[in-house]
Amino acid sequence: MKFSQIIGVGSYVPPRVWTNQDLTALMDTSDEWIQQRTGIKQRHWVDQDSGTCSSDLGLEAAKKAIENAGIEKEQIDMICFATLSPDHVFPGTACFFQAKLGVPGIPALDIRQQCSGFIYALSVADQFIKTGAAKTVLVVGAETHSRALEKNTNGRDIAVLFGDGAGAVVLRAAEGSKDANTSHILSTHLHADGRFAKELWLEEPSMARAGDWMQVKKMTGEQFPKMNGKAVFVNAVRRMTEVLNEAIDANDLKLVDIDLFIVHQANQRINEAVAKAMGIPEEKVFNTIDRFGNTTAATIPIGFDEAVKAGKLKKGMLVASAAFGSGFTWASTIIRW
Ligand code: COA
C-alpha cells in the first residue's frame, strides 16, 4: 500500500510590510479596529508596480521546499498549484509556474478552491500518490491579493484582511508497512456548498450575464471582492469545527492525540471560537495571522513552515489542519509530520 510523506516545506512572503497604521494612509481605518476584530497587525504586499504575481511568489516558496526536501527538481512528476489570485484567467497559473521552475512536460494542475485550496491540492496529490500515478508531487499555495483589492474606504472590510505570500510542500510516495509513528498523511476531508457562492466572491469579469465578459466601462467596484463578513464568520466557525471533528473521528483519534493545530488564518477570533468549541488548549494552536493576515491558499503551508522554524512542529508530531473559504468550501487534513 502506497502512502504520502511530506519530505520538504518552504514559504516566501514579499519583503514589503504594510502595518495597520500604513493602511490608514489609504482608507479610513485604524490599528485598533483591525487588531480588535481580526488579530492582524501587519501583512506583506508585493511592490504594486512590479508585475509580481502568484507564480513568482510560488516559485520562491517551491525552491525552498525542494531544497528542504533534498531532491532535484527533475524528480518532481506533478504540480498541484492552489490560488485564488491567478496570473491570468487562462492558462492556469500552474503552467506559468511550471515554466518558471523549469520542469516542462509534467502535469500542472490548478486548484481553485480559495482558502481551502491548499488542503484540496494536498488531497489531490495524496490520491495520485496512493494510486501510483505520481511519485513526487509539488503542492503549492500562492496568492497576490494586494493587486486586486479595493484599497480605499469602500473596500476596507476586505482590504485590511488579506496578505500576499506563498508556501509549498513536496510529497513523496512511500511504500510498505507503516506504524503509527511513520510520517504520512492520515486523511483529507473535503467539502463545498455552492449555495453560498455569492457570500464571498468576485463578480466581474463574468460570463454569467449577457454581453461581453469584460465590461470595463460599466464597472463600479464589481471587479473587487465582496464579502458578507458575518455569514463568513459564522459558517467558518461551524464548518472548521465540524471538519476537524470529522477527521479526528475518521482516524479513531481523540482530541488529546493531536499535538498541534495549524488552521486557516482568516480571523483570530474565528480560530479562538473553533478552539473554544472543541476544547483545544491555547498552546496547541499555531497562529500566524498577526504577521501575514489572510494569505488564502498559502496560509496552511506558510503555517507549516513557520511552525517548523519556530520549533513547534517536529518530526513524529500529529498535526491537524482545517480551512474554510469562498465557495463555501471547507476541508481538513491530519498528518503525522
Ligand atoms: N476599519 C474600520 N472600520 C471598518 C472596517 C475597517 N477596515 N471595515 C468595516 N468597518 C466598519 C463597518 O463599516 C461598520 O461600520 P458601521 O457600524 O458604521 O456600519 C463597523 O466597522 C462594523 O462592521 P461589521 O461588519 O459589523 O464588523 P464585524 O465585527 O462583523 O467585523 C469582519 C468585520 C470582516 C472583521 C468580520 O465580519 C470577519 O472577520 N468576518 C469573516 C471574514 C473572513 O474570514 N473572510 C475570509 C474568509 S476565508
Side-chain angles (χ1 to χ4, degrees), residues 84 112-117 120 162 191-202 225-228 231-232 235-236 239 264 296 323-331:
L84 167 156
R112 299 294 312 278
Q113 268 59 36
Q114 330 314 348
C115 291
S116 309
Y120 265 72
F162 290 97
H191 296 279
D193 189 341
R195 290 175 299 175
F196 296 92
K198 295 184 180 176
E199 301 292 4
L200 176 52
W201 73 317
L202 186 66
K226 294 285 177 293
M227 172 177 77
N228 177 347
V232 172
N235 281 281
R239 296 306 196 179
H264 184 52
T296 304
F324 175 89
S326 167
F328 289 149
T329 56
W330 61 103

Side-chain angles (χ1 to χ4, degrees), residues 27-30 33-34 37-38 115 156-157 160-162 200 227 229-230 232-233 264 266-267 269-270 294 324-326:
M27 61 193 80
D28 181 11
T29 190
S30 68
W33 192 97
I34 300 171
R37 307 280 174 133
T38 72
C115 291
R156 66 183 178 173
D157 61 326
V160 302
L161 303 178
F162 290 97
L200 176 52
M227 172 177 77
K230 287 192 171 61
V232 172
F233 194 105
H264 184 52
N267 185 324
R269 291 189 308 155
I270 291 177
N294 181 354
F324 175 89
S326 167

Side-chain angles (χ1 to χ4, degrees), residues 132-168:
K135 285 197 176 74
T136 311
V137 186
L138 179 60
V139 184
V140 185
E143 303 290 357
T144 319
H145 282 301
S146 63
R147 297 177 57 217
L149 295 170
E150 190 172 17
K151 296 189 280 297
N152 58 39
T153 301
N154 221 17
R156 66 183 178 173
D157 61 326
I158 293 190
V160 302
L161 303 178
F162 290 97
D164 301 338

Side-chain angles (χ1 to χ4, degrees), residues 1-313:
M1 175 66 181
K2 290 186 174 62
F3 55 94
S4 313
Q5 296 184 314
I6 293 183
I7 60 164
V9 59
S11 66
Y12 175 80
V13 289
R16 174 76 202 273
V17 170
W18 284 75
T19 64
N20 294 343
Q21 188 57 36
D22 292 336
L23 294 187
T24 63
L26 306 178
M27 61 193 80
D28 181 11
T29 190
S30 68
D31 179 45
E32 192 193 5
W33 192 97
I34 300 171
Q35 282 211 48
Q36 255 180 22
R37 307 280 174 133
T38 72
I40 298 168
K41 293 181 181 159
Q42 60 170 55
R43 74 287 292 140
H44 293 245
W45 281 354
V46 298
D47 176 352
Q48 302 296 291
D49 302 320
S50 67
T52 303
C53 51
S54 295
S55 61
D56 295 318
L57 302 185
L59 179 66
E60 296 308 317
K63 283 185 198 161
K64 292 183 186 186
I66 292 166
E67 192 187 336
N68 184 244
I71 62 163
E72 299 300 323
K73 64 183 181 186
E74 288 72 21
Q75 290 173 254
I76 296 164
D77 55 11
M78 181 176 189
I79 293 166
C80 294
F81 194 102
T83 189
L84 167 156
S85 43
D87 295 5
H88 296 272
V89 172
F90 77 89
T93 307
C95 292
F96 293 104
F97 167 83
Q98 187 216 49
K100 286 175 183 173
L101 185 61
V103 285
I106 62 171
L109 185 67
D110 270 44
I111 309 275
R112 299 294 312 278
Q113 268 59 36
Q114 330 314 348
C115 291
S116 309
F118 183 79
I119 299 180
Y120 265 72
L122 196 74
S123 183
V124 171
D126 186 37
Q127 313 310 322
F128 268 77
I129 283 178
K130 281 180 182 157
T131 61
K135 285 197 176 74
T136 311
V137 186
L138 179 60
V139 184
V140 185
E143 303 290 357
T144 319
H145 282 301
S146 63
R147 297 177 57 217
L149 295 170
E150 190 172 17
K151 296 189 280 297
N152 58 39
T153 301
N154 221 17
R156 66 183 178 173
D157 61 326
I158 293 190
V160 302
L161 303 178
F162 290 97
D164 301 338
V169 299
V170 179
L171 288 196
R172 190 174 58 190
E175 210 159 345
S177 63
K178 60 177 186 302
D179 63 26
N181 295 320
T182 308
S183 160
H184 69 290
I185 295 178
L186 276 71
S187 65
T188 55
H189 287 88
L190 311 180
H191 296 279
D193 189 341
R195 290 175 299 175
F196 296 92
K198 295 184 180 176
E199 301 292 4
L200 176 52
W201 73 317
L202 186 66
E203 188 175 354
E204 293 281 353
S206 169
M207 301 277 191
R209 47 134 182 81
D212 289 341
W213 77 292
M214 176 79 86
Q215 300 184 349
V216 178
K217 280 182 196 152
K218 286 188 193 165
M219 284 194 199
T220 51
E222 301 88 344
Q223 74 276 36
F224 297 116
K226 294 285 177 293
M227 172 177 77
N228 177 347
K230 287 192 171 61
V232 172
F233 194 105
V234 169
N235 281 281
V237 174
R238 178 180 157 208
R239 296 306 196 179
M240 287 211 292
T241 303
E242 267 176 24
V243 79
L244 280 170
N245 281 326
E246 181 181 13
I248 289 169
D249 291 348
N251 290 292
D252 285 329
L253 294 167
K254 296 196 174 62
L255 192 73
V256 292
D257 298 324
I258 307 294
D259 297 303
L260 197 64
F261 289 84
I262 300 180
V263 302
H264 184 52
Q265 305 285 304
N267 185 324
Q268 179 83 27
R269 291 189 308 155
I270 291 177
N271 294 353
E272 285 166 4
V274 171
K276 192 172 168 209
M278 293 181 67
I280 304 169
E282 206 179 306
E283 64 274 12
K284 281 197 175 182
V285 182
F286 187 77
N287 287 323
T288 56
I289 191 162
D290 56 329
R291 288 178 290 153
F292 304 123
N294 181 354
T295 55
T296 304
T299 301
I300 303 280
I302 289 177
F304 288 161
D305 195 36
E306 288 291 318
V308 170
K309 285 182 194 154
K312 302 267 183 196
L313 178 54

